[in-house]
Amino acid sequence: MEIEVGEVAELVQALIRNRCVNDGTPGSGQEARSVDLIAGYLEGAGLDLERFEARPGRESLVTRIEGSDPEAPSLMLLGHTDVVPVNEDRWSRDPFGGELVGDELWGRGAIDMFNLTASMAVATRRLAVAGFRPRGTLLYVAVADEEASGLYGAKHLAERETDSVRADYLITESGGFPIDAGDGAVTLPAIVAEKGTMASRLRVTGTPGHGSMPYGTDNALVKAAEVVRRLDAYRPATRVSDHWRDFVRGFGYPPELTEPLVDEDTLADTCAALPPAIAKLAYSCCHTTLTPTVLRGGTKRNVIPDAVEIELDVRTLPGDDVESVGAVIDAALGDLADEVEFVPGVTIAASESPTETPLWDSLGRVGQHFYEGSALLPMLMPGATDARHFRPLGTTCYGFGIYSRKVPLETLATMAHGDDERVDLESLRMITDMWDVLVHDFLG
Ligand SMILES: [Zn+2]
């Protein structure tokens, strides 16, 4: 089925159909296919295209419209071309079909984040073709490997190709979902901070023995089950940041609703009374979280295991480090702590950007263009984006986009990395316009 839906929708469809699924292994993703696609689309617009290959098949693309004033701040529009895997059985349609159904475009990546990656490319091409010369340089960057560590994408560029991707300001996913703030007012969240990650493992040891005689044995698997249970039951200290306080208060709800959510003594209990999606967000934004996700152990059915490994998805708040996370684990495990070894892995600290900046003010004006009277809401993101690789270079990074009201926020929140991911065409039109309005406002 091919219906004329405009160049941005066609580009989103093609990106979906390229199936650049990143399962975390080095050979997956193969984003060079989508770099070919985007490069092909941008060709003929007078842009210089730079391609960077971090390993075979893992390519990223950089292009720019040079500014006329070297003193003016530069802006990068940053998109990724990879997607997370799908569970096909749970989808109502082909996750890689890129089907247009009614006014919705279906497929993995539709909102995470081909809606942005494609519309950024379309806006950049249009500006180039129109001969637009900004004061500050505009960069468009499409990277591989965002859905894993960024090792073959943003991290590679930021660390090894720094001169090609240096920018004063950067916008990437996500944000810009209209939230009703009562009395017809709308707030638009913009991501200003994100939690850190610490890929960790716990090693649980025991004593081997014969599976036929379990009585009184020291079974590492049984111990690991109790470790997992304690980790799940443990409630680490609540930490309310200024960003969280501003975010909650920005909703404009009455104080009896907002105050318990900005009070470290009451937040965790208040979560139980909230809709699940809001509770998840509130809890994650104000706690260091330790999620057991993988358990490996045992060798043979009739052998009592003496070693089990638990993988932990640790998400950190600003100020957390290996020592403080170790202390949380010890507190969770109590008297089992001595029998468990904490093995911290790759650690990327939580990061944030200030909101007292010209780009923040510009986003506020741009938001008003689409939702009159709207206000920006600074938001902390529990997950990670590629912004974390650029903040250490001194780049001020926000997550922003713009969406229509056609897809409710609750639905949007479940679609990224979930089932039946799709985007409506009105949102695609709005977002493509948004980059144009933003570039003129901020770089013009
Ligand atoms: Zn994403």
Side-chain angles (χ1 to χ4, degrees):
M1 178 185 62
E2 289 297 338
I3 297 176
E4 184 51 55
V5 286
E7 57 187 334
V8 63
E10 281 175 18
L11 197 50
V12 173
Q13 283 177 312
L15 287 165
I16 290 169
R17 289 170 186 159
N18 270 356
R19 217 186 255 258
C20 295
V21 176
N22 183 349
D23 63 14
T25 58
S28 69
Q30 294 298 304
E31 298 89 342
R33 292 170 293 145
S34 284
V35 168
D36 288 342
L37 173 76
I38 296 169
Y41 170 74
L42 292 174
E43 246 159 47
L47 292 160
D48 287 330
L49 308 178
E50 287 184 281
R51 299 172 69 138
F52 298 98
E53 185 179 60
R55 63 166 278 146
R58 311 300 301 268
E59 276 189 43
S60 300
L61 176 126
V62 178
T63 189
R64 67 184 66 230
I65 301 178
E66 213 64 54
S68 58
D69 177 359
E71 300 297 312
S74 52
L75 173 68
M76 182 197 300
L77 304 180
L78 175 67
H80 65 79
T81 54
D82 59 327
V83 293
V84 293
V86 297
N87 182 343
E88 297 227 28
D89 297 341
R90 294 174 50 95
W91 279 63
S92 316
R93 299 192 173 268
D94 178 359
F96 300 104
E99 288 175 68
L100 182 70
V101 183
D103 69 345
E104 289 183 334
L105 215 163
W106 284 60
R108 173 58 90 221
I111 59 160
D112 182 9
M113 61 180 280
F114 298 158
N115 56 331
L116 307 183
T117 309
S119 59
M120 288 167 172
V122 171
T124 303
R125 186 178 208 284
R126 285 181 187 170
L127 288 163
V129 168
F132 175 69
R133 186 85 199 271
R135 280 200 313 116
T137 297
L138 172 71
L139 288 94
Y140 168 71
V141 179
V143 292
D145 202 28
E146 192 275 342
E147 297 293 1
S149 60
L151 189 64
Y152 307 117
K155 188 170 159 59
H156 175 86
L157 294 180
E159 290 176 2
R160 309 269 185 89
E161 308 290 350
T162 317
D163 288 341
S164 291
V165 293
R166 208 180 282 286
D168 299 302
Y169 293 91
L170 177 161
I171 296 186
T172 188
E173 62 191 339
S174 64
F177 322 107
I179 298 171
D180 276 314
D183 298 332
V186 165
T187 53
L188 299 169
I191 314 295
V192 296
E194 58 190 74
K195 292 181 78 178
T197 54
M198 193 181 290
S200 306
R201 286 170 295 153
L202 296 180
R203 285 201 192 115
V204 184
T205 49
T207 312
H210 201 290
S212 64
M213 293 179 288
Y215 185 80
T217 51
D218 178 24
N219 183 329
L221 188 56
V222 173
K223 207 183 290 174
E226 176 61 10
V227 166
V228 168
R229 194 199 64 76
R230 289 188 189 185
L231 287 170
D232 183 57
Y234 186 69
R235 293 285 167 263
T238 302
R239 284 147 69 191
V240 169
S241 65
D242 289 344
H243 280 319
W244 176 252
R245 213 169 269 124
D246 292 347
F247 176 67
V248 173
R249 293 196 172 136
F251 277 103
Y253 290 151
E256 59 270 28
L257 284 180
T258 55
E259 288 317 301
L261 280 174
V262 295
D263 184 336
E264 293 182 345
D265 294 329
T266 53
L267 184 139
D269 290 338
T270 308
C271 284
L274 296 173
I278 310 280
K280 279 192 174 87
L281 179 71
Y283 186 89
S284 290
C285 285
C286 302
H287 294 86
T288 305
T289 58
L290 316 158
T291 311
T293 46
V294 178
L295 187 140
R296 281 187 212 93
T299 51
K300 192 167 181 295
R301 190 174 47 78
N302 60 359
V303 177
I304 289 174
D306 63 339
V308 168
E309 193 171 82
I310 301 164
E311 280 191 38
L312 276 189
D313 186 353
V314 178
R315 302 295 173 132
T316 58
L317 291 172
D320 280 335
D321 56 17
V322 168
E323 205 176 322
S324 67
V325 169
V328 173
I329 292 172
D330 283 352
L333 300 186
D335 61 0
L336 274 177
D338 289 345
E339 300 181 56
V340 177
E341 185 193 353
F342 167 42
V343 188
V346 176
T347 299
I348 297 174
S351 66
E352 54 191 338
S353 293
T355 54
E356 299 79 24
T357 68
L359 181 59
W360 184 261
D361 298 341
S362 182
L363 287 178
R365 289 189 293 273
V366 169
Q368 301 255 7
H369 183 95
F370 293 92
Y371 289 99
E372 212 184 315
S374 64
L376 286 189
L377 200 53
M379 189 170 163
L380 166 66
M381 186 159 161
T385 74
D386 275 335
R388 62 188 169 154
H389 302 299
F390 290 94
R391 287 201 178 100
L393 301 182
T395 306
T396 296
C397 304
Y398 301 130
F400 198 63
I402 203 90
Y403 291 80
S404 78
R405 291 165 173 277
K406 287 204 168 158
V407 183
L409 185 58
E410 286 278 310
T411 313
L412 269 180
T414 61
M415 289 194 306
H417 295 203
D419 307 321
D420 289 350
E421 187 176 345
R422 60 203 186 276
V423 65
D424 65 282
L425 297 183
E426 191 184 336
S427 289
L428 283 185
R429 274 181 214 112
M430 288 171 73
I431 184 71
T432 311
D433 283 350
M434 202 275 279
W435 302 123
D436 190 68
V437 174
L438 174 69
V439 167
H440 282 93
D441 185 280
F442 184 70
L443 293 178

